[in-house]
Amino acid sequence: MVVKATSVGCGGHHASAMTLESALDAVFKSVHVVAESESVGLMDASGRILAQDVVSTTNVPGHTNSAMDGYALRWEDTRSPGSVSLHVVGESFAGHPYTGALQAGECVRIMTGAVIPDSADTIVIQEDTQRNGDMVELQAECRQGDHVRLAGEDIRAGTVVLAAGRKLRAADLGLLASIGVPDVQVKRKVKVAYFSTGDELRAVGEVLENGQIHDSNRYTLHAMLGAAGVESIDLGVVRDDPAALRAAFAMAAERADVVVTSGGASVGEADYVTDILAELGEVSFWNVAMKPGRPLIFGKLHGAEFFGLPGNPVSVMVTFLQVVRPALAVMSGEPYAPPLRFRARAASKLHKKPGRMEFQRGVLTCHEGADPSVDSTGRQGSGILHSVNQANCFIVLDLDSGSVEKGDWVTVEPFLP
Ligand code: AMP
Ligand code: MG
């Protein structure tokens, strides 16, 4: 169904804004996980999303081995009364195992990671021994199985080590290498085409004339898209001109799974994005009860998901992080994970009017023995980008809440790396 922006009261202030929660619901109902997957080598797999479960075909460790430098022995040989001396019959180094089996009264010198010989079951660390020629005297009690790393104690052959949907991190790559997996099947990257809109925008490096500004949103978007692990397609700056915008919309939707624009999303006379989306595609919503970020447009453009972000730089970041990023994660094949939020005490009064959910920018500190504390970064205008530069978290204030007094508990959401 094509909903004409004008018919839903795009120009008016009467239409009630959607809650962020229902906006997210609408987004999650609309998006699909990319179907295609590809094989990548481990060295290229960091940050990619597994398309299939990975089952280990081997035990890790593959062999029962020593956790310490010392002597491998048969524990029963240490049971005889009085001091115990054993005959050192060989050595086992990492990568160079001792191939024989131990007889009564024998032991082998062993290094960390080296295979434990047949019939040995215990390691005595070298600090607890006295070596005399080819004999070694034990100088401390030991328990059976001391310092033995059993084959398969980390990973058992046949178990799922990483499940489909996993975003691969450093420890995962190490784990995959340890089971001898050279490459993995991952989801293809979601493709996102993005552009800025506005007659006042000039690229960095261009000389500004009266009333012109540098286009900063494309740079923050570029970085945020990169961090989200998608393939991004930069379509530059598009003028506030319906014909130019129509052409850019069509090109973006043809090349990508998702189209992200900034600017021109509001109700001003040069704000065309909602109308053009209604004309060429479908508008799902265009007005969300959040601050910053009220004029946030979502819909479909041909086969692509469309996000029309506001123009103000802080609004771009907040709407991207709260709405676009979770959508991209789901499309990439990750299971939805709600944002990590917890409570901290406000270090100063926070001004707020009821009616919109707010994402103020804060500096969170956690000192041992004290409650976590969060302070505002100061002026919170949606054009004040350095309110984000200075921050390490959002202070998330409910739609209905009013101002917060110093010392009150508030919800914080730390920025992800
Ligand atoms: P708009 O939503 O187009 O009315 O833009 C709202 C505000 O954000 C205006 O002050 C614009 O100049 C500013 N703005 C829009 N796009 C950008 C951009 N790409 N970079 C920096 N500021 C922008
Ligand atoms: Mg504009």
Side-chain angles (χ1 to χ4, degrees):
M1 182 188 68
V2 174
V3 181
K4 272 285 181 191
T6 45
S7 71
V8 292
C10 180
H13 296 282
H14 329 288
S16 62
M18 209 175 207
T19 62
L20 176 58
E21 207 183 3
S22 17
L24 281 169
D25 278 349
V27 169
F28 290 136
K29 281 210 182 79
S30 173
V31 300
H32 300 286
V33 179
V34 292
E36 304 88 343
S37 63
E38 60 196 5
S39 174
V40 295
L42 279 196
M43 287 300 190
D44 297 315
S46 181
R48 302 298 300 269
I49 314 295
L50 274 184
Q52 303 169 341
D53 291 351
V54 177
V55 176
S56 179
T57 55
T58 57
N59 282 325
V60 178
H63 304 92
T64 297
N65 70 88
S66 178
M68 299 294 278
D69 297 324
Y71 293 87
L73 47 80
R74 299 157 14 119
W75 180 73
E76 57 179 301
D77 291 349
T78 68
R79 297 288 80 201
S80 45
S83 83
V84 175
S85 273
L86 298 171
H87 184 205
V88 184
V89 294
E91 52 188 28
S92 183
F93 279 52
H96 303 282
Y98 177 80
T99 46
L102 295 189
Q103 308 300 320
E106 292 180 347
C107 67
V108 301
R109 179 87 174 103
I110 196 162
M111 302 300 158
T112 304
V115 175
I116 295 180
D118 287 346
S119 72
D121 59 3
T122 301
I123 306 297
V124 173
I125 62 173
Q126 70 188 37
E127 293 85 339
D128 289 344
T129 62
Q130 174 70 51
R131 181 78 179 255
N132 307 303
D134 64 354
M135 296 300 287
V136 67
E137 187 184 328
L138 309 189
Q139 299 186 313
E141 286 274 301
C142 58
R143 287 169 307 161
Q144 190 170 28
D146 271 356
H147 310 301
V148 172
R149 300 196 287 214
L150 294 172
E153 74 174 21
D154 186 359
I155 297 163
R156 285 228 157 268
T159 52
V160 172
V161 288
L162 294 169
R166 172 83 178 177
K167 185 171 201 166
L168 295 172
R169 304 189 299 219
D172 302 326
L173 299 192
L175 190 76
L176 291 166
S178 75
I179 59 171
V181 168
D183 35 50
V184 280
Q185 200 66 22
V186 295
K187 288 288 185 185
R188 80 151 163 86
K189 287 188 180 183
V190 172
K191 289 185 206 148
V192 182
Y194 63 109
F195 55 91
S196 299
T197 72
D199 282 350
E200 75 280 32
L201 304 177
R202 291 294 175 272
V204 177
E206 281 185 58
V207 177
L208 300 182
E209 288 175 19
N210 192 18
Q212 297 180 339
I213 61 169
H214 288 302
D215 167 20
S216 66
N217 290 342
R218 230 158 18 98
Y219 295 85
T220 45
L221 275 172
H222 170 78
M224 292 189 294
L225 290 165
V230 300
E231 183 182 322
S232 59
I233 304 165
D234 179 2
L235 297 180
V237 176
V238 180
R239 283 170 292 124
D240 289 318
D241 163 51
L245 285 164
R246 279 190 200 98
F249 272 45
M251 194 215 291
E254 196 169 300
R255 293 179 59 181
D257 307 300
V258 179
V259 178
V260 176
T261 66
S262 75
S266 193
V267 295
E269 283 178 23
D271 292 338
Y272 298 111
V273 175
T274 314
D275 287 338
I276 294 178
L277 181 62
E279 182 189 314
L280 302 182
E282 269 176 55
V283 176
S284 167
F285 60 79
W286 53 272
N287 193 354
V288 179
M290 67 190 285
K291 183 181 176 184
R294 191 207 304 263
L296 168 64
I297 306 166
F298 174 67
K300 286 268 190 200
L301 180 60
H302 305 167
E305 309 296 334
F306 184 97
F307 294 92
L309 311 187
N312 277 306
V314 182
S315 312
V316 167
M317 296 199 72
V318 171
T319 51
F320 182 91
L321 295 174
Q322 295 300 325
V323 181
V324 183
R325 184 176 61 182
L328 295 177
V330 168
M331 292 181 76
S332 303
E334 274 187 272
Y336 173 68
L340 198 60
R341 292 178 182 162
F342 57 91
R343 309 283 277 169
R345 285 192 190 275
S348 56
K349 180 169 178 148
L350 304 171
H351 295 275
K352 180 183 181 295
K353 289 196 197 109
R356 285 201 268 169
M357 189 171 181
E358 286 198 16
F359 293 88
Q360 299 194 7
R361 279 76 65 204
V363 181
L364 176 68
T365 46
C366 299
H367 291 296
E368 211 180 322
D371 292 330
S373 164
V374 66
D375 206 354
S376 170
T377 54
R379 289 179 57 209
Q380 296 289 311
S382 59
I384 300 179
L385 190 54
H386 79 252
S387 69
V388 191
N389 296 101
Q390 293 168 347
N392 62 6
C393 72
F394 286 125
I395 306 170
V396 185
L397 302 171
D398 284 347
L399 186 113
D400 297 324
S401 82
S403 290
V404 170
E405 297 304 324
K406 178 177 174 175
D408 284 356
W409 286 102
V410 289
T411 300
V412 291
E413 180 186 326
F415 291 162
L416 293 178

